[in-house]
Amino acid sequence: WSSDVCSSDLSLKISSLSRRLSVLLPLGLLLFGSVDTALAGGRFPRRVSTPNGLGRPRSGTTIGGGVRGAADPTRQFCSQRLENSPNLTALIPASDSVLHTLNPDPLVLVYIPPLPEQSSGIAKLTIADEDGEFLGEATLDVPRDGGLIAFALPNEILPLVDQTFYQWDLQLACHQQITLDDPSVSGWIAYQEAPTEQRLTEIPRPLQTRNALGRIDELSDAGYWLDAVLETANLLNTADPETRDAEVVPRLETLLKQEKLDSFATYFLN
């Protein structure tokens, strides 16, 4: 079942996001038609409930300094002390250990510290099912200077199955090859199928922006935090400057702050 093939297309850096997102992460790639469908109707399907007892993904997947949040007291990454960077962090809601999404081909956001000179700049992405059974893997190229990246899941498991939980684990190489001691970060993701596609097209840009702002709020309220953040990030690049500063940026800051990830706002905005 393995797909241990280098796939740089699976990893996209979000540096200078407000200027580059339309190239790196176009709305169609972020959310496809599934989210647009639910948004067009103004309602979202009830997200799949997190099973009782769903705990951390496979034991040992945060060795070497990989953490969910940025408050790692050791400040160590690849045996080097981090002075001006957060540690390896998956942007996962503090209120729920699962990333719920309406996208059958989702992206996951991870912050990566600058890699040491001896690193090969690769990462290994592994996917398992709810019971820990291996489903697939891929080797990704990651930016050596670090930053906020978005990675896709291996093609062999796509599209995701409706109302199914997946475990993912991303491990970075501190040297030329990945070893068990290298830092990693992990999490859960679950896909919820949306209603029949009804994409929003041929809408004047100001109305698109206004509709998108409402959709972001509805996505967040319905529990699709990841989709709300990605849609907000896309809107940073497409909204007019006044709307961006007055409405889009505050929404992004609120989404991150409510899940204790507000320290990462600068990596979307710079």
Side-chain angles (χ1 to χ4, degrees):
W1 296 7
S2 171
S3 65
D4 193 14
V5 177
C6 184
S7 181
S8 59
D9 290 341
L10 294 179
S11 175
L12 302 170
K13 185 173 181 181
I14 313 185
S15 175
S16 301
L17 187 63
S18 61
R19 296 186 298 275
R20 300 176 55 199
L21 188 60
S22 62
V23 177
L24 294 180
L25 304 176
L27 183 59
L29 174 61
L30 292 179
L31 306 178
F32 292 111
S34 297
V35 172
D36 277 342
T37 299
L39 302 175
R43 293 186 178 183
F44 297 91
R46 184 184 299 275
R47 75 180 194 184
V48 57
S49 299
T50 302
N52 293 331
L54 188 71
R56 296 172 63 84
R58 303 188 313 278
S59 61
T61 56
T62 55
I63 57 176
V67 291
R68 191 212 74 87
D72 174 28
T74 66
R75 303 291 297 161
Q76 293 289 320
F77 176 76
C78 285
S79 300
Q80 61 184 10
R81 180 170 177 80
L82 297 172
E83 299 294 342
N84 301 306
S85 170
N87 212 322
L88 177 62
T89 306
L91 272 63
I92 297 174
S95 59
D96 191 331
S97 60
V98 177
L99 290 169
H100 293 272
T101 181
L102 295 169
N103 186 353
D105 183 6
L107 297 170
V108 177
L109 295 169
V110 171
Y111 176 83
I112 297 176
L115 298 174
E117 292 184 3
Q118 67 270 21
S119 172
S120 60
I122 63 172
K124 183 176 182 180
L125 173 63
T126 306
I127 309 296
D129 64 15
E130 186 176 332
D131 298 321
E133 293 295 320
F134 173 81
L135 295 179
E137 62 184 18
T139 300
L140 314 181
D141 293 318
V142 296
R144 301 183 62 85
D145 57 349
L148 187 61
I149 68 164
F151 65 82
L153 303 183
N155 289 332
E156 65 205 84
I157 71 165
L158 299 175
L160 299 185
V161 177
D162 184 32
Q163 300 188 37
T164 300
F165 288 80
Y166 299 84
Q167 308 175 39
W168 61 267
D169 178 77
L170 187 70
Q171 188 167 31
L172 279 69
C174 289
H175 300 277
Q176 288 300 304
Q177 301 296 325
I178 296 174
T179 71
L180 290 177
D181 292 328
D182 284 337
S184 65
V185 67
S186 58
W188 294 94
I189 193 164
Y191 164 61
Q192 172 65 54
E193 185 176 2
T196 305
E197 182 174 358
Q198 183 184 352
R199 300 195 65 169
L200 300 178
T201 57
E202 302 301 326
I203 297 177
R205 184 166 177 174
L207 184 56
Q208 284 184 335
T209 298
R210 181 54 50 190
N211 287 347
L213 290 169
R215 294 199 301 269
I216 291 167
D217 295 338
E218 292 184 32
L219 281 166
S220 178
D221 291 343
Y224 297 102
W225 181 85
L226 174 63
D227 295 341
V229 169
L230 291 174
E231 174 116 350
T232 306
N234 187 78
L235 200 57
L236 286 171
N237 191 66
T238 59
D240 63 84
E242 182 178 354
T243 302
R244 179 185 186 272
D245 294 340
E247 300 197 56
V248 182
V249 172
R251 275 175 171 78
L252 175 64
E253 292 173 339
T254 297
L255 285 167
L256 296 175
K257 185 175 182 179
Q258 70 187 19
E259 301 300 348
K260 301 180 181 180
L261 291 165
D262 45 306
S263 61
F264 292 92
T266 183
Y267 298 103
F268 286 88
L269 302 172
N270 288 346

